[in-house]
Amino acid sequence: MSQFNENSMADRLKAQAQARQERTTRFRERPAADDPAVLARKAEREAIVREREIRVAAREAARLEAEARRAAEADAERERLAAEAVREAAEKIERATAARLEQKAQRDARYAARKAKARK
């Protein structure tokens, strides 16, 4: 059940005027911009902002350094894999050449054996 509101229009207007007066008084009592306390708080806030910017810059530098390090490691890994592929290709060519030379030597030996047998 709602209660009966005994505030009249005059009471509400009076309360509103009093609240407005209190706000105006608080505004006027506020320290000026050149007050030492205000300047000190402003300097403190600026110092905090500078420190935050320094930390952000340091994190960014660390991130870029880590990114560069990862890129260098990836490049080194790609170079290592490329060198290994070249080495394996060279070994494969060398084995193929050695196999061809071995086959040629066996073929020449068979040919020489046939010639020697024919001369007897």
Side-chain angles (χ1 to χ4, degrees), residues 25-91:
T25 304
R26 262 195 332 263
F27 178 75
R28 287 186 181 144
E29 290 175 353
R30 193 178 63 191
D34 60 350
D35 187 80
V38 172
L39 294 175
R41 282 195 308 270
K42 183 178 178 182
E44 192 174 311
R45 284 190 303 268
E46 289 174 355
I48 290 171
V49 167
R50 280 193 304 273
E51 290 172 0
R52 184 178 303 128
E53 289 172 352
I54 289 171
R55 287 192 308 269
V56 167
R59 280 195 304 268
E60 180 68 16
R63 183 187 66 79
L64 290 175
E65 180 182 333
E67 189 175 296
R69 188 176 337 104
R70 282 191 301 269
E73 289 172 356
D75 287 344
E77 181 67 14
R78 277 194 298 273
E79 288 176 9
R80 186 188 66 76
L81 291 174
E84 186 176 321
V86 167
R87 182 185 52 79
E88 288 175 358
E91 287 177 356

